[in-house]
Amino acid sequence: MELPEPTSKQFSNLMNGIETGSLKIPQFQRDFVWDIKKSAALIDSVVKGYPIGTFILWKTKESLRAVKNIGRLDLPEPNKGDYVQFVLDGQQRITSIFATLKGETIKRDDNREENFSNMYVGLEAKEDEKIVTTEIDGKNQSQIIKLNTLLEGDFTILGEYDKKYHDKLKRYKQRIESYSYSVIQVNDAPIDVATEIFTRINVGGKALSTFQIMVAKTYDYGKNFDLVEKFEELTERLENIDYETISEMTVLQTISLIIKKECKRKIILSLQKEDVINHWQKVVDSVENAAEYFKNYFRIPTSSLLPYDTVLVPFAYFFYHNVDKPLGLKQKYLEDFFWRVSLSERYSSAVESKLSQDVKRIDMILNEEQPRYDWQVEDSPDYIKNNGLFNTGRSYIKAILCIYAYQQPKSFADNSVVNITNNWLKRANSKNYHHFFPKAFLKKLKEDENSINHILNITLVDDYLNKRKIQDRAPSDYMEDFKNDNDKITETMKTHLIHDLEEFGIWSDDYQKFLDKRANALSAEIKKRIIT
């Protein structure tokens, strides 16, 4: 790699570079956000010959994902093997200059459009005043000229202006076209160096995400491979089974573990573009198979209930090497692995290292060998009671919610299946999870807040009427109503791991008895899932 090279470029070089595709804006840059007034101030500085900062360009033969259009102009792809200059610093300024001087219309994310041709040069303005402006109300039309008309207009158009402005018109046009833009060019740097430079000079030092870098690195125009588009396609497919919340990093970790058996950021960034592209389709199939296995075998109805996104990674690795549905010992060992990881909160720290260790365990399962584990899973009722503070940010709590969901809980009102989807969870928010002994009721009894807001007091519901009917009523009171409406109420409550209303203290409103009985029921369910 050569040392960065200070140089300069003129207007025509910048415009031609953008129009021909030899000067590109990499897609890990943020969108163009400058408005026309801020851009006008920049061009005003150019007209006056003021410095506007240095552009940092990266010269490389890497084929990266880049901005495809500015305004109405589709930007061409460079020829394969040609050098390209990517803008590492100065995207907003370069885009402003291009959009302004070409008179482009920029469409914003909110569908609002800004016409950058509506920028004018005031011919009566003095050097210490704003020469370039967007505000022309009340101005004499013979004393202003559109900026792009100044640059593109022929002698006939410019000759229509009063002779006293001709020198100014010529001088302003010449200043813009001959302006010397300060450039530092980084030549032939590897992508990790280029992105490190970008990180240090942008967004206050905020690092680019691993996915953003891999999007740029793996882009291949000839093979029609765009990681952003490919991930969006995967998300759309997963949406069909309510697993669309799987993260970008989960997929990258899966690819890296499959190729390298490791998934630290450095390892992911070292992956070769060809390897990622060649493995992509089979990895996608493996991720889908893992998601479907969670949904169908573990009965986890939605990805929002997964204890971790990360837990999908070793399962996708398994399905990459074992396309068929696991049966017998493989099925038994996979289930044991899932619950050990989820209930122990294993992936709450040092995730990459633990995934690399766990891939070896998955390799053993693939060979129908039982892995060894250097951590224990607590399954006693007392442990559940002492560690069950309800917090959906904890994998332990979400694992218990998965056990609840496995029972396919029914509605108290009519024994219909509770609907659990990612969209429903987002819409319902706190209504997703119903405190069986209502919080308001328990507060009247002076119960401790930690005891009230406990996973053992949570049931999964989707019927808003439950909330309206229950409010702060005692369980013995509101359950009498449901008993009258639902002649299968005993069967219904078993799907919530509440096996007997009398024994669980419901009719006597005995909260401590309820917690003890439900802890025993939950403990029994955990024991079923762990190989001892």
Side-chain angles (χ1 to χ4, degrees):
M1 170 186 158
E2 300 176 23
L3 291 174
E5 175 189 340
T7 184
S8 63
K9 291 183 181 292
Q10 290 189 317
F11 165 78
S12 58
N13 298 125
L14 287 178
M15 296 301 103
N16 185 64
I18 294 173
E19 288 184 304
T20 60
S22 64
L23 180 64
K24 307 289 283 183
I25 297 169
Q27 199 65 56
F28 52 70
Q29 293 267 27
R30 62 180 175 149
D31 292 337
F32 178 51
V33 296
W34 279 22
D35 62 20
I36 190 170
K37 289 185 177 180
K38 190 167 185 178
S39 298
L42 179 75
I43 304 299
D44 188 69
S45 294
V46 171
V47 169
K48 291 172 179 173
Y50 296 170
I52 60 168
T54 300
F55 299 119
I56 299 181
L57 306 180
W58 171 37
K59 185 179 179 182
T60 180
K61 288 187 177 181
E62 291 260 17
S63 177
L64 305 186
R65 187 178 193 258
V67 172
K68 295 179 179 178
N69 56 66
I70 295 176
R72 297 159 296 183
L73 182 65
D74 291 328
L75 305 180
E77 291 292 329
N79 294 323
K80 189 173 182 179
D82 286 355
Y83 273 107
V84 177
Q85 296 181 93
F86 288 100
V87 181
L88 293 183
D89 190 39
Q91 175 213 2
Q92 300 294 320
R93 286 170 287 151
I94 282 182
T95 308
S96 285
I97 293 166
F98 184 82
T100 298
L101 302 183
K102 290 296 179 180
E104 291 297 321
T105 297
I106 302 296
K107 189 171 184 178
R108 305 298 186 182
D109 287 340
D110 59 3
N111 292 321
R112 179 174 51 86
E113 292 186 347
E114 276 193 297
N115 187 346
F116 275 63
S117 70
N118 293 328
M119 202 175 292
Y120 300 82
V121 173
L123 300 177
E124 283 291 325
K126 297 176 182 178
E127 287 286 332
D128 61 350
E129 297 175 339
K130 277 199 302 186
I131 296 174
V132 179
T133 184
T134 60
E135 300 167 359
I136 60 170
D137 288 347
K139 292 186 184 284
N140 189 326
Q141 294 297 307
S142 66
Q143 296 176 352
I144 58 174
I145 183 172
K146 270 197 170 185
L147 188 65
N148 57 315
T149 300
L150 172 67
L151 293 172
E152 299 175 4
D154 57 22
F155 177 78
T156 305
I157 295 174
L158 300 180
E160 293 177 356
Y161 284 84
D162 193 302
K163 286 184 179 181
K164 67 180 180 180
Y165 298 132
H166 285 188
D167 283 344
K168 271 191 176 181
L169 290 168
K170 182 179 179 180
R171 185 166 67 251
Y172 290 160
K173 181 175 181 178
Q174 187 177 32
R175 283 183 183 176
I176 294 171
E177 292 180 343
S178 63
Y179 185 88
S180 184
Y181 297 91
S182 174
V183 172
I184 292 178
Q185 189 157 290
V186 181
N187 295 314
D188 288 317
I191 189 170
D192 56 337
V193 173
T195 52
E196 176 65 17
I197 292 170
F198 173 83
T199 295
R200 293 191 180 200
I201 58 181
N202 283 275
V203 205
K206 181 181 178 182
L208 289 168
S209 74
T210 307
F211 185 76
Q212 287 173 313
I213 297 175
M214 290 303 291
V215 164
K217 181 176 180 178
T218 59
Y219 177 75
D220 193 300
Y221 178 75
K223 294 181 180 178
N224 193 30
F225 189 89
D226 184 329
L227 189 57
V228 168
E229 294 177 358
K230 295 295 184 182
F231 182 76
E232 288 174 351
E233 289 172 7
L234 171 61
T235 300
E236 288 175 7
R237 290 164 66 175
L238 291 173
E239 190 172 8
N240 294 327
I241 60 170
D242 291 315
Y243 269 71
E244 73 276 8
T245 65
I246 298 303
S247 71
E248 301 155 341
M249 196 61 188
T250 296
V251 179
L252 290 181
Q253 288 171 334
T254 301
I255 295 174
S256 188
L257 282 172
I258 287 168
I259 297 174
K260 296 280 192 178
K261 297 281 184 132
E262 291 186 74
C263 62
K264 291 182 179 178
R265 175 182 166 93
K266 183 177 180 180
I267 299 298
I268 293 173
L269 293 179
S270 74
L271 296 176
Q272 296 300 306
K273 175 170 72 174
E274 291 73 19
D275 283 340
V276 174
I277 294 173
N278 292 338
H279 282 81
W280 178 259
Q281 189 53 55
K282 192 174 177 183
V283 168
V284 165
D285 293 341
S286 303
V287 169
E288 284 192 88
N289 287 339
E292 288 174 353
Y293 192 67
F294 284 141
K295 188 177 184 75
N296 297 326
Y297 181 74
F298 289 104
R299 298 183 192 170
I300 302 172
T302 164
S303 52
S304 293
L305 282 182
L306 282 176
Y308 304 100
D309 265 8
T310 311
V311 78
L312 188 139
V313 175
F315 277 78
Y317 177 92
F318 175 90
F319 281 103
Y320 185 90
H321 296 286
N322 191 104
V323 177
D324 297 329
K325 179 180 177 181
L327 300 171
L329 289 176
K330 289 180 182 178
Q331 184 184 78
K332 183 178 180 181
Y333 295 153
L334 273 179
E335 181 172 22
D336 180 53
F337 172 82
F338 174 79
W339 292 108
R340 285 182 181 276
V341 165
S342 301
L343 289 165
S344 68
E345 303 187 274
R346 177 164 173 76
Y347 295 149
S348 295
S349 63
V351 177
E352 296 91 347
S353 297
K354 289 173 181 175
L355 282 172
S356 297
Q357 296 166 13
D358 288 346
V359 158
K360 297 174 184 177
R361 293 185 169 96
I362 297 298
D363 284 335
M364 294 183 69
I365 293 172
L366 286 164
N367 291 323
E368 297 189 340
E369 299 172 20
Q370 183 177 357
R372 292 182 178 179
Y373 297 97
D374 53 6
W375 70 90
Q376 297 295 319
V377 174
E378 295 287 346
D379 56 18
S380 71
D382 283 343
Y383 183 86
I384 297 170
K385 286 189 286 185
N386 293 332
N387 293 275
L389 182 64
F390 185 61
N391 177 357
T392 56
R394 288 179 55 200
S395 72
Y396 179 75
I397 296 303
K398 293 186 86 171
I400 293 175
L401 290 172
C402 288
I403 293 175
Y404 289 170
Y406 182 85
Q407 316 304 317
Q408 296 179 316
K410 305 288 183 63
S411 167
F412 299 172
D414 59 6
N415 202 45
S416 60
V417 176
V418 168
N419 177 40
I420 305 173
T421 69
N422 284 324
N423 284 336
W424 173 74
L425 286 172
K426 291 173 187 173
R427 282 199 310 269
N429 198 13
S430 63
K431 295 179 182 177
N432 308 342
Y433 310 112
H434 164 58
H435 289 74
F436 190 80
F437 274 70
K439 289 193 287 186
F441 170 76
L442 290 175
K443 284 179 180 179
K444 291 178 183 177
L445 300 181
K446 308 298 184 184
E447 285 287 344
D448 178 74
E449 184 67 31
N450 290 344
S451 174
I452 295 171
N453 201 35
H454 198 286
I455 187 62
L456 293 172
N457 192 28
I458 296 296
T459 53
L460 291 173
V461 300
D462 69 346
D463 188 345
Y464 295 179
L465 287 177
N466 287 355
K467 293 282 183 174
R468 296 193 188 104
K469 290 182 69 172
I470 294 169
Q471 296 178 346
D472 63 349
R473 297 165 65 191
S476 62
D477 185 15
Y478 74 75
M479 284 302 296
E480 187 67 37
D481 288 347
F482 287 126
K483 181 181 177 182
N484 293 332
D485 295 336
N486 178 6
D487 59 6
K488 296 181 179 179
I489 192 65
T490 300
E491 175 187 326
T492 297
M493 300 317 296
K494 287 179 180 178
T495 68
H496 294 276
L497 294 183
I498 300 173
H499 296 152
D500 184 283
L501 293 173
E502 181 65 45
E503 288 184 7
F504 273 63
I506 306 304
W507 300 128
S508 58
D509 296 324
D510 189 334
Y511 185 52
Q512 291 307 315
K513 187 175 184 180
F514 173 80
L515 293 179
D516 289 342
K517 289 293 184 180
R518 205 153 188 244
N520 290 338
L522 185 56
S523 173
E525 290 295 322
I526 294 174
K527 284 181 169 66
K528 291 178 187 177
R529 291 160 168 78
I530 301 293
I531 299 174
T532 55

